[in-house]
Amino acid sequence: MPTVSPRPREPLLSRLLQAGDPCIVAQHQPALVLDYARSRELAARAILAGTGMDDLQAPDAQQAITPTEYLQLLANVAAGLKSPETSFMLGQQMLPGHFGALSHALMQAHSLREAIALLVRFQMQLCPLLAPRFCEEGALAVLYWTDSFGAGAQRGFLVEMHMTAMTAMCRWLGGERLPWRYCFNRTPPRYTEQHEVHLGEQLRFHCHLDAMLIDAAWLDRPWPRANAMAAAVARRAVDAAHAAGSQRSLLCALYDYLLEHIRNAPTLEQCAIEFGVSPATLKRHLARHGSHFQAELDQVRAHVALHLFHGGRHDNDAVARHLGFHDANNFRRSFKRWTGMTPMLLRQGLQAYRLQSGDTSAII
């Protein structure tokens, strides 16, 4: 009896979303941006240039645009309005959104933890341009954001938009303003009035992550709007509509892979094998997102190093070994390149801040 050769496995890369793939439904978040632009009486031609859309009033129900086009739409609106409040105002209307079962599930979330879990699981539908990542550090909960498709110069705009969206949604669903603290991986803007109005006064710049921090005790406090029966129905609808979960972008999948294998010092060649392509092909795809392998690896290494240092249980040698460095001096030089400071200066700064304020938000 003849043997049947197994079908070759489809390369992982071919199943991942990239910046040029039409994967963002125009009637979802892009429609909210268009509506805001229209309310500010911006010219349609300027708003839609380079976006793949030709109707300011009502995007086609079946139309999907690429992440590159969505970024262009946001850039057009920001340039047309020339207002420091644009990112914050767009964030105010971003979540829970109008995404059918997913938005209904968010509105019925019984706690902050459940809302974050939905946001992380269905990132491509709810916040496609930045990926939310969540971790708990003892008594502290951290929600931080990584790039999905290569935001480039628009990163700061997107961070403000997404942090505002999360803040506004939690305030509405939780029935009160939650005591978030905000960390920005950037220099402070000339004026912070809009940050203070929409986010509050707990702002820190020159950080190493774009993150929102809150005491972990807030994660499981019941939200007053939640209804147990409605929540169960909403979760079943979400599971039925999104049986396979949410797709991932190339940058998100690479971050996940590097994070999982960081102790083994992953290389470009190893990642290429995992993604089912040649190293040259993987380099080419990363370049299309404005990045390269070393930058992605350095980002993950920096995040892991910060996590280990902030726990207070690891010295330079231990963190260096964890990240696959055989020489602590090489690690010290690399850490300074990633963060702009030496590990010793970071630890001293953290210790001084804790002694001064007793505030664990310094861990970022």
Side-chain angles (χ1 to χ4, degrees):
M1 190 172 177
T3 59
V4 178
S5 299
R7 295 179 62 182
R9 190 178 70 166
E10 182 183 13
L12 173 60
L13 184 65
S14 66
R15 303 194 301 271
L16 299 173
L17 298 172
Q18 301 198 45
D21 294 332
C23 55
I24 299 175
V25 179
Q27 279 197 339
H28 288 173
Q29 290 185 9
L32 295 175
V33 177
L34 291 177
D35 185 65
Y36 182 75
R38 186 170 61 245
S39 73
R40 295 300 185 271
E41 301 181 347
L42 287 181
R45 181 176 299 180
I47 297 170
L48 298 175
T51 67
M53 294 184 286
D54 55 12
D55 187 353
L56 187 62
Q57 300 299 320
D60 189 312
Q62 304 303 316
Q63 183 180 9
I65 64 174
T66 70
T68 298
E69 290 169 337
Y70 184 26
L71 283 167
Q72 185 63 56
L73 173 64
L74 291 169
N76 292 347
V77 173
L81 291 174
K82 297 183 176 65
S83 169
E85 73 170 2
T86 301
S87 58
F88 300 97
M89 296 304 294
L90 290 175
Q92 287 283 348
Q93 62 185 19
M94 181 177 164
L95 296 173
H98 306 283
F99 316 131
L102 272 176
S103 293
H104 187 56
L106 270 178
M107 287 188 286
Q108 297 299 330
H110 60 73
S111 66
L112 175 58
R113 186 186 297 277
E114 183 173 331
I116 290 175
L118 285 168
L119 202 68
V120 171
R121 180 183 174 192
F122 298 104
Q123 174 255 326
M124 266 308 302
Q125 289 85 355
L126 296 171
C127 45
L129 298 181
L130 291 184
R133 299 178 179 278
F134 175 69
C135 62
E136 289 185 65
E137 301 282 351
L140 189 69
V142 180
L143 180 67
Y144 69 102
W145 309 83
T146 61
D147 197 350
S148 294
F149 292 104
Q154 290 179 257
R155 171 67 185 238
F157 184 97
L158 292 178
V159 168
E160 293 166 355
M161 180 177 163
H162 285 65
M163 287 189 179
T164 303
M166 188 65 185
T167 301
M169 182 184 72
C170 291
R171 185 174 187 176
W172 179 48
L173 297 179
E176 60 184 315
R177 189 163 191 161
L178 301 191
W180 290 106
R181 289 160 281 172
Y182 303 87
C183 300
F184 297 92
N185 185 14
R186 55 168 292 187
T187 58
R190 179 176 300 179
Y191 304 107
T192 60
E193 285 86 348
Q194 293 299 327
H195 291 78
E196 293 169 5
V197 168
H198 294 279
L199 302 178
E201 297 182 354
Q202 295 297 315
L203 310 170
R204 294 185 64 235
F205 296 90
H206 296 297
C207 298
H208 310 298
L209 282 176
D210 292 304
M212 300 171 61
L213 294 77
I214 196 168
D215 291 343
W218 287 89
L219 290 172
D220 298 306
R221 291 193 184 190
W223 280 356
R225 288 180 177 272
N227 177 286
M229 181 175 294
V233 171
R235 284 193 294 270
R236 286 197 295 269
V238 166
D239 290 339
H242 304 276
S246 181
Q247 287 182 283
R248 291 186 299 168
S249 72
L250 167 61
L251 294 185
C252 289
L254 181 57
Y255 185 101
D256 292 340
Y257 177 83
L258 293 173
L259 186 62
E260 181 180 355
H261 297 87
I262 201 65
R263 302 195 68 170
N264 300 319
T267 65
L268 171 65
E269 290 72 22
Q270 291 168 340
C271 289
I273 291 172
E274 175 68 20
F275 283 57
V277 296
S278 69
T281 297
L282 182 56
K283 288 172 65 176
R284 187 168 62 252
H285 283 285
L286 290 175
R288 291 172 181 167
H289 291 78
S291 188
H292 53 85
F293 178 78
Q294 191 63 49
E296 298 301 315
L297 178 60
D298 288 349
Q299 174 184 234
V300 175
R301 280 175 160 173
H303 290 176
V304 173
L306 291 167
H307 168 80
L308 295 175
F309 278 135
H310 296 148
R313 298 181 299 275
H314 295 77
D315 58 17
N316 280 14
D317 290 339
V319 175
R321 288 194 301 272
H322 188 98
L323 295 178
F325 284 86
H326 300 294
D327 184 339
N329 288 328
N330 282 339
F331 165 70
R332 178 183 176 279
R333 288 191 293 269
S334 295
F335 187 85
K336 186 173 182 180
R337 176 167 54 84
W338 303 335
T339 66
M341 65 176 65
T342 64
M344 180 180 293
L345 284 177
L346 175 75
R347 293 200 305 272
Q348 289 175 349
L350 290 174
Q351 183 63 22
Y353 191 94
R354 286 170 180 144
L355 290 175
Q356 179 182 3
S357 66
D359 186 353
T360 56
S361 67
I363 70 158
I364 299 299

